[in-house]
Amino acid sequence: MKRILLLVLALISAVTLTACKGGIDDDKPVVYVTVYPVEFIVQQIAGDVLTVKYVPGASAHVTSVDWNAQEIIDMLNASLLFYVHAGADNYVPNNAELFAGGTVELVDLSQHLTYNLVCFGHDDTDCSETALSEDPHFWLDPVLMFEAAQFIKDKLIATFPEMSDNFNNNFTLLSSALDKLDDD
């Protein structure tokens, strides 16, 4: 009977301690993103010194997301949140008041990049110069992807200056790959 009781107590303790133990990355600063191409850039530049997470429920083409309390707290405690905007992932600026009390800095990439202009209409005759809109899919253009990477690197350095050597070295590798992609 004692053995069973000890085994049960050991299992309860193990489960409790496992549930209380944070993830391996708990000591790393957290950066949130809304789309994969931005996650790719941040991961390439940061390497393993930052934890990159998606905004819960993130999808570039939804206008609202219902976050639970823990998701909001996690995002509030992050360092940065990069979003594309320009007609995509509007749920971030639409909920800016939720982020006001936290440490997270919201970074609207559309304020720092010049997106290509396109006509989203289905009727070619409607595509006059006045019908053009910003295309937030900057990652389809290697030159714009490079500009985004350069901006993100600078933002990461401004936020985490102690990691600037790491960011600069990794950016050099990423920019070489983007240059090759553009050349190809």
Side-chain angles (χ1 to χ4, degrees):
M1 183 69 173
K2 278 186 177 181
R3 284 186 181 187
I4 293 174
L5 183 59
L6 286 174
L7 181 61
V8 169
L9 287 174
L11 285 172
I12 291 172
S13 296
V15 169
T16 303
L17 290 174
T18 302
C20 292
K21 180 183 179 282
I24 295 170
D25 297 335
D26 279 354
D27 58 334
K28 295 180 186 177
V30 176
V31 173
Y32 276 90
V33 300
T34 59
V35 294
Y36 171 74
V38 177
E39 176 192 34
F40 174 79
I41 292 171
V42 174
Q43 286 178 334
Q44 294 300 305
I45 294 171
D48 62 356
V49 300
L50 300 176
T51 299
V52 184
K53 296 182 176 183
Y54 278 108
V55 169
S59 173
H61 301 290
V62 298
T63 56
S64 67
V65 176
D66 290 324
W67 294 305
N68 66 43
Q70 187 59 54
E71 291 169 337
I72 294 170
I73 290 168
D74 290 346
M75 288 186 291
L76 285 171
N77 291 326
S79 300
L80 298 167
L81 188 157
F82 289 102
Y83 65 103
V84 176
H85 204 31
D89 55 24
N90 289 330
Y91 52 86
V92 174
N94 291 348
N95 289 293
E97 72 280 352
L98 288 176
F99 299 104
T103 59
V104 68
E105 179 182 350
L106 302 180
V107 183
D108 178 354
L109 292 174
S110 71
Q111 298 299 307
H112 306 281
L113 300 174
T114 302
Y115 294 155
N116 291 324
L117 295 177
V118 297
C119 182
F120 286 114
H122 295 288
D123 183 4
D124 289 337
T125 60
D126 259 356
C127 285
S128 66
E129 201 170 304
T130 58
L132 297 177
S133 300
E134 288 184 314
D135 180 7
H137 303 92
F138 67 86
W139 51 88
L140 298 175
D141 181 341
V143 174
L144 286 177
M145 188 75 161
F146 173 81
E147 289 175 18
Q150 192 164 28
F151 169 74
I152 290 171
K153 176 203 54 123
D154 292 343
K155 187 55 142 173
L156 292 175
I157 288 173
T159 307
F160 311 105
E162 69 280 4
M163 300 176 195
S164 64
D165 288 343
N166 179 59
F167 297 152
N168 282 317
N169 292 338
N170 290 340
F171 174 75
T172 299
L173 296 172
L174 177 59
S175 65
S176 294
L178 291 172
D179 284 343
K180 181 174 178 354
L181 179 63
D182 188 42
D183 288 344
D184 290 347

